[in-house]
């Protein structure tokens, strides 16, 4: 997805809005620091990306092999 920067926004507030981290926003946009400009278009993770990552992190680990008794 994408996001157009508005007055008063910062990398941290944009990250919070898209339920991600400032590091992810910086990496997606190859930002060396948190300096962004009004009107700048930033790449942001799609909601499905965030939800999929959250589900994967919350899923219990599966045993490598079935246990036979």
């Amino acid at each position: 997805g994408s996001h157009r920067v508005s007055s008063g926004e910062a990398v941290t507030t944009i990250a919070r809005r898209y339920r991600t981290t400032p590091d992810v926003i910086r990496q997606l946009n190859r930002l060396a620091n948190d300096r962004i400009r009004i009107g700048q278009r930033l790449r942001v993770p799609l909601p499905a990306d965030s939800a999929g990552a959250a589900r994967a992190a919350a899923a219990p680990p599966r045993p490598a092999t079935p246990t036979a008794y």
Side-chain angles (χ1 to χ4, degrees), residues 1-55:
S2 67
H3 175 86
R4 188 173 298 270
V5 178
S6 297
S7 177
E9 288 186 313
V11 171
T12 53
T13 56
I14 295 167
R16 197 173 305 126
R17 177 177 179 173
Y18 292 95
R19 296 184 176 166
T20 189
T21 64
D23 282 338
V24 169
I25 299 295
R26 284 190 291 270
Q27 288 172 3
L28 284 174
N29 294 282
R30 298 180 182 180
L31 300 174
N33 53 47
D34 287 352
R35 294 190 65 174
I36 54 177
R37 297 177 312 279
I38 295 170
Q40 183 175 353
R41 187 167 294 278
L42 297 176
R43 294 180 65 203
V44 293
L46 296 173
D49 293 346
S50 301
R55 278 195 303 275

